[in-house]
Amino acid sequence: MRYLLLLAGDPAAEDSLLGEDRRRIVEAHLALVEELRRAGRLVAAAALDPAGAHVVAPAETGIATDGVFAETKEVLGSFYVVDVEDVEEARALAARMPASPGLRVLLVPAVDV
């Protein structure tokens, strides 16, 4: 069963982190990615660039905005797609995400099409 784990946080608080604290968080993510890869659980993972985010509505509306969450202080920072046995394993994995300021993990089951 595949799950998408979307990681969101507080960019202002993250910007205030000392370099060594930021490095520890990144290294913890890299270690987790490698562990999941070795276990055959990782489908994909990547950091996101919130500065480059855009929302584009259906073509017929002609609407484009400058951000997914422009009205909030929360920003999507990265994602993992994992292949796990069940929701309990996905929740346990979400709980292991390296802590960062304002971290919230959205866990979404993927449906094969």
Side-chain angles (χ1 to χ4, degrees):
M1 181 168 228
R2 289 186 176 181
Y3 280 86
L4 169 67
L5 288 77
L6 280 172
L7 282 62
D10 179 347
E14 289 179 10
D15 287 345
S16 69
L17 288 173
L18 298 174
E20 62 191 43
D21 293 331
R22 183 184 310 275
R23 188 181 71 250
R24 263 194 296 274
I25 293 169
V26 170
E27 288 174 355
H29 277 285
L30 293 173
L32 182 57
V33 163
E34 184 56 32
E35 176 188 332
L36 292 171
R37 185 175 286 127
R38 281 193 311 262
R41 294 292 195 212
L42 185 67
V43 175
L48 301 173
D49 179 8
H54 297 278
V55 173
V56 178
E60 61 272 7
T61 68
I63 298 171
T65 66
D66 64 353
V68 179
F69 299 105
E71 71 282 358
T72 72
K73 295 186 185 322
E74 185 176 76
V75 174
L76 294 176
S78 59
F79 73 89
Y80 289 71
V81 178
V82 296
D83 193 356
V84 295
E85 292 297 320
D86 53 31
V87 68
E88 288 80 18
E89 186 177 355
R91 285 182 181 177
L93 181 56
R96 292 185 52 212
M97 289 295 127
S100 60
L103 177 67
R104 292 171 23 112
V105 180
L106 174 63
L107 183 62
V108 184
V111 179
D112 290 329
V113 292

